[in-house]
Amino acid sequence: MIEHPAGEHVASWYAATANPAPDRPALEGEVECDVCVVGAGFTGISAALHLAERGLSVVVLEGARVGFGASGRNGGQMVNSYSRDMDVIETKYGAETARALGDMAFEGGRIIRRRIEQYAIDCDLRDGNLFAACNPRQLKGLREHQALWERYGYRELELLEGEAVKREVASDRYVGALVDHGGGHLHPLNLVLGQAAAVESLGGRFFEQSAVEEVIHGEPVVLRTARGRVKAERVVMAGNAYLRGVLPEIEGRSMPCGTQIITTEPLGEARAHALIPRGKAVEDCNYLLDYYRLTRDHRLLFGGGVNYGGDDPADITAVIRPKLLATFPGLADVKVDHAWSGTFLMTLNRLPQFGVVNGNVYYAQGYSGHGVTCTHLAGRLIAEVMHGQGERFDAFAGLPQLPFPGGRLLRVPLSALGAWYYATRDRLGL
């Protein structure tokens, strides 16, 4: 089923500043449609919108509220490419696969911008993000990163070294940074709510508090909830980390992981601007990275850390505040107003998993921390493959989808051990 422990949005800054949205009814009785989408996050809403624009009747089932999961809780950073970049893809899977995925690596952000403009979505979009190097090894990696993306035709990057970094972020932690002028950041919950409204404007139907309890394969597929059923010619499974016990064919190939975010009290425009003068989003280059940005009301939103298995720490502020102060020691007097966590889905190779089960149940999942842009690409590719244009979808579907070593019992401790190793390397600058 799609888990929804509380059924409402978590008490985040995003929920506190969300645009008005209706309470959608729970499913009761039986409905029929061309496509049923399971999960009202970025993947599901992107697919629903692309399909509705093509004239298909779409029903979206959500176990809690639209944007309840990672899509409504993440750092809001529009980071291009994937969690594993094209050089790794080329080495492991060949030049043809790397070229196919590389041609799509910067498409998700363009889709987001088009949606915002087309449907007049108010979600605080700002341009620009940057990758910050904490040591010379990471700076060398950024130079290589710039050359790699330029080899794939992307020319929106600017490398900064030494004191030049201070024009973007007022911290002594960094020896260099790579600015992506084609990236950006936004209010993710308002983005997903705005796109859901767009789906409804095209005739799509949403049912909240309607966790899927059983998928009965066939033609049509039948999806059963506690109080209703949907009959659909085709299905999109977009539950990601919240998918449990419904489609075992794909659930053993990934692992839920938790990350935590805090927002400060309002800093005032001048103090906030002094921290990040040009207002870009920032993430460092550590394996267990920190990421942060300013909000529209001049708070600092700061996230970091990974909990393998998705469990929440007892005190989120106690985990994240030291990371914030290591970056900006001058904020020691600042209070934290909001603290929350979210669960994303990680794959063994850190690349997203696309595929089809029984010929008419499509899925896309496992963006491994790079979901804001790639989810929007996924929705477009799902619509394409359902209309007989499967080459781009198949480029992802052809990637290996391997289970974590040790199965469900050992995947968490083994992943934590690997993370400890890489985090130690980062601390030593190796």
Side-chain angles (χ1 to χ4, degrees):
M1 62 186 297
I2 304 298
E3 293 185 346
H4 53 292
E8 298 294 334
H9 295 117
V10 298
S12 67
W13 177 80
Y14 297 132
T17 56
N19 295 330
D23 289 331
R24 281 102 176 174
L27 177 66
E28 294 188 2
E30 185 170 289
V31 299
E32 297 184 6
C33 60
D34 295 325
V35 182
C36 181
V37 176
V38 179
F42 281 149
T43 299
I45 299 299
S46 177
L49 187 49
H50 281 287
L51 292 165
E53 288 174 332
R54 290 175 178 248
L56 296 181
S57 62
V58 179
V59 167
V60 181
L61 297 178
E62 166 57 45
R65 299 292 302 278
V66 170
F68 169 81
S71 299
R73 309 187 202 182
N74 62 74
Q77 300 204 16
M78 292 170 54
V79 179
N80 285 304
S81 192
Y82 317 107
S83 189
R84 286 290 178 266
D85 223 334
M86 274 78 74
D87 55 340
V88 177
I89 297 169
E90 184 172 344
T91 298
K92 290 189 174 182
Y93 309 116
E96 183 177 348
T97 297
R99 174 57 61 185
L101 269 61
D103 287 345
M104 296 181 275
F106 312 102
E107 189 171 342
R110 294 194 292 269
I111 293 171
I112 292 171
R113 285 185 166 86
R114 182 174 181 272
R115 292 300 189 214
I116 292 171
E117 180 179 2
Q118 181 180 6
Y119 294 105
I121 300 172
D122 178 12
C123 61
D124 306 338
L125 174 64
R126 295 196 64 174
D127 291 331
N129 60 10
L130 64 91
F131 309 98
C134 300
N135 55 56
R137 176 183 62 83
Q138 293 179 356
L139 180 57
K140 177 177 180 291
L142 289 180
R143 293 192 190 98
E144 296 168 350
H145 185 92
Q146 181 179 25
L148 175 67
W149 280 18
E150 289 180 349
R151 183 156 63 87
Y152 281 85
Y154 191 73
R155 305 288 177 181
E156 299 294 321
L157 300 176
E158 178 186 4
L159 187 68
L160 306 177
E161 299 188 42
E163 288 300 307
V165 180
K166 296 289 182 64
R167 81 182 196 204
E168 298 288 353
V169 54
S171 176
D172 294 328
R173 290 187 67 188
Y174 310 123
V175 300
L178 187 63
V179 180
D180 182 2
H181 295 286
H185 58 95
L186 45 72
H187 190 303
L189 181 55
N190 280 339
L191 176 61
V192 74
L193 292 174
Q195 290 183 92
V199 173
E200 290 175 317
S201 75
L202 298 172
R205 292 175 288 172
F206 283 77
F207 297 97
E208 296 181 322
Q209 313 298 342
S210 298
V212 173
E213 298 182 346
E214 183 181 15
V215 177
I216 304 170
H217 295 279
E219 297 181 4
V221 184
V222 176
L223 299 106
R224 184 177 61 80
T225 71
R227 292 184 287 173
R229 303 199 320 165
V230 177
K231 288 185 176 180
E233 295 303 315
R234 286 168 287 189
V235 169
V236 178
M237 299 300 291
N240 263 281
Y242 295 87
L243 193 64
R244 295 288 188 274
V246 172
L247 206 63
E249 296 93 332
I250 68 173
E251 291 175 31
R253 305 172 188 173
S254 55
M255 178 172 62
C257 296
T259 185
Q260 295 79 47
I261 299 176
I262 62 176
T263 52
T264 66
E265 63 184 329
L267 303 175
E269 184 174 1
R271 192 175 188 184
H273 181 79
L275 297 176
I276 309 176
R278 304 190 188 207
K280 295 180 176 63
V282 182
E283 67 174 64
D284 68 34
C285 297
N286 289 332
Y287 185 83
L288 299 179
L289 58 84
D290 295 335
Y291 52 92
Y292 52 91
R293 61 188 184 87
L294 299 176
T295 65
R296 70 184 182 204
D297 55 354
H298 310 302
R299 303 171 188 267
L300 182 65
L301 183 153
F302 199 104
V306 174
N307 286 353
Y308 296 100
D311 294 332
D312 294 338
D315 187 339
I316 293 171
T317 299
V319 172
I320 302 301
R321 186 178 177 87
K323 300 173 182 290
L324 182 154
L325 294 180
T327 307
F328 299 113
L331 297 184
D333 64 314
V334 171
K335 297 177 182 178
V336 171
D337 276 355
H338 302 88
W340 70 95
S341 65
T343 304
F344 65 93
L345 198 63
M346 186 170 69
T347 66
L348 185 61
N349 62 6
R350 306 301 193 268
L351 290 170
Q353 298 174 342
F354 291 23
V356 186
V357 176
N358 292 333
N360 58 0
V361 177
Y362 298 78
Y363 65 90
Q365 65 174 22
Y367 306 98
S368 301
H370 277 62
V372 173
T373 55
C374 194
T375 50
H376 287 81
L377 171 66
R380 174 176 283 177
L381 300 190
I382 288 169
E384 288 178 359
V385 72
M386 286 190 181
H387 284 80
Q389 302 166 318
E391 295 84 1
R392 303 204 310 156
F393 182 92
D394 290 343
F396 285 96
L399 295 170
Q401 299 180 15
L402 302 174
F404 278 82
R408 291 182 179 273
L409 180 63
L410 295 179
R411 65 182 181 180
V412 171
L414 289 176
S415 296
L417 180 63
W420 172 85
Y421 168 76
Y422 286 109
T424 300
R425 288 188 60 190
D426 286 334
R427 284 194 295 272
L428 297 176
L430 300 176

